[in-house]
Amino acid sequence: MPCGRQLSTSLLHRRRSCPQGSRAQPLTLQHPAPRLTRQRLWSYPTSTDWWERLVLGEWDNDRWLRNFRMSRQTFLELCQWLTPALRHQDMAMRRALTVQKWVGIAVWKLATPDSYRSVGQQFGVSKATVGAVLMEVVRAINAMLLHRLVRLGDPDATIAAFATLGFPNCFGALDGTHIPICTPHHSGGRYLNRKGYHSVVLQALVDSRGRFQDIYVCWPGSTHDARVFRNSGLCRRLEAGTYIPQREIPLGDTTMPFCIIADAAYPLRPWLMHPYTGHLSASQERFNERLNHVRQVVECSFGRLKGRWRCLLTHLDAGPNNIPLIVGACCALHNLVESKGETFFQGWAAEAGRADVQPPAAPGWQVDPEGTRVREALWVHFNDEAAG
């Protein structure tokens, strides 16, 4: 069974088409601070100088990038987008903290492995305030930006870009990655992955530039990738032919529909290509090399995601209902900074590579005859290209 709250951009896009009255109500804090102590909880007035004078007033763009993982200009745009969702929150908290400081606290927490206490000391607020502000901003990002930033782009441009990389009629690369979490109080065994640590699975479909087009996060770390995919809204829409307008291309004596590519943990379908397994011929190995070369774009996306938002590298300290929201917010911010062309320092990738230990992918055995036919035709096509 999936953990806590589900987060699926496929489901989010479907909900946007529902009548206004049928939309789910926005999430609120489950455990608000006691009223009598709220004013003392939110702010320590002696430490506003660091944020207001140094960060907002004196930091150059390089320091913004290294600490907040985005430029000052992008940060201010983010604050502007989130203001409508944040301005109606608790009045005592809003008087003590500006929207810019709310977002600053949340982005700093997502971008660093710092504890809640350490972030609180940095910004001059309590540990409890950091947790409350983080979740309010994360909810605002999910409500205001996720459906705008994590979505299918122009299909024709995406397919053309993948064709340039070497794979025809492809509109996405699919994979899953494990997000480490603190040991759950109950049902901890379900979250224990094959590497021996507790995690949840983030499934993502990316375009040729490494931007997330669809995400799904909720399943415990012990779950096979194929099962996660089978239960996702993305799988249901692909099977129904509603995710992308169908267009087939001739391929030898058959036709090939639009497809996505993945590793061997996922089922083989006419619209989902994965590598050959078992004892391979030289030409099958070349097919796998081409597919895996193109598929690396999703692995690079996960590396850049975790290199920027380092909370995903440590054991995420949040409840099961909040973990999908935090991961979703990080994916939305990933797409935001990637679309802005923000600098990604190589040291970040090295740090993510050292810290991110992923369980080996277990192979799947679901093979569709029609999928086999399309893959064989594609294999022949690649052979003819190599021979020509």
Side-chain angles (χ1 to χ4, degrees), residues 28 36 87 106 110 117 228-229 243 267 295 338 362 366 383:
T28 57
L36 293 178
R87 66 185 177 188
L110 297 175
R117 185 180 302 279
V228 176
F229 177 66
Y243 184 73
R295 194 182 60 80
E338 289 287 325
Q366 299 181 28
N383 283 339

Side-chain angles (χ1 to χ4, degrees), residues 229-306:
F229 177 66
R230 187 171 63 248
N231 285 276
S232 67
L234 174 64
C235 179
R236 290 191 291 272
R237 294 175 69 188
L238 287 170
E239 287 181 332
T242 59
Y243 184 73
I244 186 173
Q246 287 301 308
R247 189 188 311 156
E248 297 183 336
I249 62 171
L251 202 62
D253 58 356
T254 187
T255 58
M256 177 184 179
F258 286 150
C259 74
I260 61 177
I261 56 176
D263 63 26
Y266 293 89
L268 182 66
R269 296 287 187 269
W271 40 262
L272 198 165
M273 293 289 102
H274 74 209
Y276 287 97
T277 57
H279 183 69
L280 306 179
S281 67
S283 58
Q284 287 174 331
E285 289 180 349
R286 287 194 297 270
F287 175 93
N288 286 1
E289 288 173 1
R290 181 181 291 205
L291 186 149
N292 290 330
H293 171 74
V294 178
R295 194 182 60 80
Q296 284 179 353
V297 66
V298 66
E299 297 176 353
C300 291
S301 296
F302 288 145
R304 292 171 76 90
L305 171 74
K306 296 179 180 182

Side-chain angles (χ1 to χ4, degrees), residues 148-179:
R148 293 170 54 185
L149 296 172
V150 180
R151 58 190 296 273
L152 180 66
D154 179 0
D156 291 332
T158 302
I159 290 165
F162 273 109
T164 302
L165 293 176
F167 214 94
N169 226 33
C170 174
F171 64 88
L174 178 74
D175 204 356
T177 187
H178 287 255
I179 308 298

